[in-house]
Every structure is written in C-alpha cells, then in structure tokens.
Amino acid sequence: MTPRSRAGSAESERNRGGRPTAAQAGELDRRIRHAALDTLLEHGYEATSMKAIADAAGTTKPTLYTRFPTKEALFLEVLGWAIGRPDWPVPEPPEPDPADLEGALTAIAHAALTRTLHPDMIRLEQIAIGHAAAYPDLAKSTYGTGTWPRKRLVVELLTRHARTGAIVADDPGRLAELFLGLASGVAGRLASFGIVLDADERDRHLNAAVQLFLRSLRPD
C-alpha cells in the first residue's frame, strides 16, 4: 500500500469512527517521528518539506500540521526524541558490572563512542550544528547532559567506588560529564567535520581516555 493510500485509509477510518483512539493517535505520532527522522537524515533540513514527511508517514499535511504547526517545531521534537532513544541509532548494551571500575568505565566509553560515531548520529549532529544559530535553545533542550542515562551510570559507579576509598570523586556529576566528553566528545566533533576515527584509533582513544580518567581519581 502506498503512503497516499495508507493516508486515505487512516483518514477514512477516523472519519467513520469519529476521533481517533489513543492507540491510533500514538501510532500516528510514531510514524510521523520515524518518517521525519528518516527524511531529515536523507535530505537535510532545508530540502525536507512537511508534505514529504506527511507522505512518508502515510498521513496528510493538515493532520501533520495539527500536531506540529511548523517544520521547526517538528524538527526540535524529532531531534530530542532521536537523541533520547535508547535503541537508536544502535541499541544500548546491558549495564556493566559496577564492581569492576575500569571494566565498567571502558564499557560505558565504548557504548558512548559507538553511538557518537554511528553514521546516522553523525548526520543528525551535522544538521543540528548547521541550525544551532537559528534555534538558540536547541543545544540546551536536546543535548543537555543532566538526564543522560549514561551519565547516571557513571555517577553511580563513581559514588560506589568513592565510598570504599578506592577513588576520590567529590563531584560525581561533574566528573561524569567530563569523562563522557573525554570518551566521545572530541571524536564526535571531529566526525561532524568528516574526520572519523578508524577501529584501531577508536581502541587507542578509549584506552587513553579511561586510563587518564582513572589516574585523576586516585587518592593522594
């Protein structure tokens, strides 16, 4: 079934049954987000139209505009949604063993770098950077580190080992942000300019980041 016929079917069902159910509305929202993300990644922000997104989602422009009054509103919604997803662009791995500080930090750093250097994430980052000046709240609303699940893991890990005296971590939240920046921040920024670390470089980068961070935590 083509997007247009799917849209017609969805609209006719809605018309026959009155207002859509919560499940139907949720399914449509899901389709819109996925369609918008795929279209943005393929064509970029400027070349993506609301009609193209509506067609890809199997709905109509009027329906799309009832949910998102502007392309900017849809862009901000989809950007935040994509970045916050634990299954995109790759699924998050299981939480590491917290008893092994070095092993857990290595696993967390590896997951962060894998996500950062995925081609879809690099492309989304490039689009976001290209429009950051036009949307000044973009970085704060979508890239703020306060609610990162991965940051929470590092905070819990540092707090646990600081209690035993194995490390000194007076400000676990700040240290977690610094560690994640060390693990993936620089590599991600380079990737946004087309400079992507190869597999060997990634391994060396991860090892250096973890060892440097561990040395900074050692008690005097």
Side-chain angles (χ1 to χ4, degrees), residues 41-52:
L41 290 176
E42 182 175 358
H43 301 291
Y45 181 77
E46 290 83 359
T48 294
S49 67
M50 294 291 271
K51 183 181 185 306

Side-chain angles (χ1 to χ4, degrees), residues 4 13 15 43 59 61 91 95 151 172 191 212:
R4 185 175 298 277
E13 287 182 12
N15 292 336
H43 301 291
T59 188
K61 281 178 62 178
E95 294 188 6
K151 177 186 173 181
L212 178 61

Side-chain angles (χ1 to χ4, degrees), residues 1-12 31 54-55 57-60:
M1 184 180 292
T2 66
R4 185 175 298 277
S5 61
R6 287 199 306 268
S9 176
E11 290 296 325
S12 63
R31 294 205 317 267
D55 288 345
T59 188
T60 63

Side-chain angles (χ1 to χ4, degrees), residues 72 76 128 131-142:
E72 173 187 345
L76 295 176
H131 295 84
Y135 309 129
D137 293 331
L138 181 65
K140 182 168 61 176
S141 62
T142 58

Side-chain angles (χ1 to χ4, degrees), residues 12-207:
S12 63
E13 287 182 12
R14 181 176 66 83
N15 292 336
R16 287 199 302 269
R19 297 185 63 181
T21 66
Q24 289 170 333
E27 170 61 18
L28 178 56
D29 286 342
R30 185 195 68 80
R31 294 205 317 267
I32 289 172
R33 289 191 179 97
H34 280 279
L37 178 59
D38 291 344
T39 308
L40 284 166
L41 290 176
E42 182 175 358
H43 301 291
Y45 181 77
E46 290 83 359
T48 294
S49 67
M50 294 291 271
K51 183 181 185 306
I53 294 172
D55 288 345
T59 188
T60 63
K61 281 178 62 178
T63 299
L64 184 59
Y65 275 112
T66 62
R67 285 165 166 74
F68 302 98
T70 64
K71 187 169 76 168
E72 173 187 345
L74 178 55
F75 172 57
L76 295 176
E77 166 70 19
V78 168
L79 185 62
W81 167 74
I83 291 172
R85 286 175 57 184
D87 62 340
W88 186 89
V90 291
E92 285 291 303
E95 294 188 6
D97 178 8
D100 179 2
L101 177 59
E102 181 175 346
L105 286 174
T106 300
I108 292 169
H110 183 271
L113 192 60
T114 298
R115 175 180 169 90
T116 296
L117 296 185
H118 189 281
D120 286 346
M121 184 60 77
I122 293 172
R123 177 60 176 150
L124 191 63
E125 180 89 3
Q126 290 169 333
I127 294 171
I129 290 173
H131 295 84
Y135 309 129
D137 293 331
L138 181 65
K140 182 168 61 176
S141 62
T142 58
Y143 287 94
T145 59
T147 57
W148 282 357
R150 196 171 289 117
K151 177 186 173 181
R152 173 188 57 78
L153 281 177
V154 178
V155 169
E156 292 174 355
L157 189 64
L158 297 180
T159 301
R160 173 188 177 123
H161 288 272
R163 288 198 188 106
T164 70
I167 61 172
V168 175
D170 295 331
D171 188 349
R174 182 71 63 186
L175 289 170
E177 291 181 8
L178 290 172
F179 174 69
L180 292 171
L182 186 65
S184 62
V186 173
R189 180 53 55 90
L190 289 173
S192 69
F193 288 97
I195 306 171
V196 181
L197 301 179
D198 63 28
D200 290 339
E201 290 172 327
R202 292 185 195 189
D203 289 343
R204 290 195 294 271
H205 177 88
L206 284 175
N207 182 67

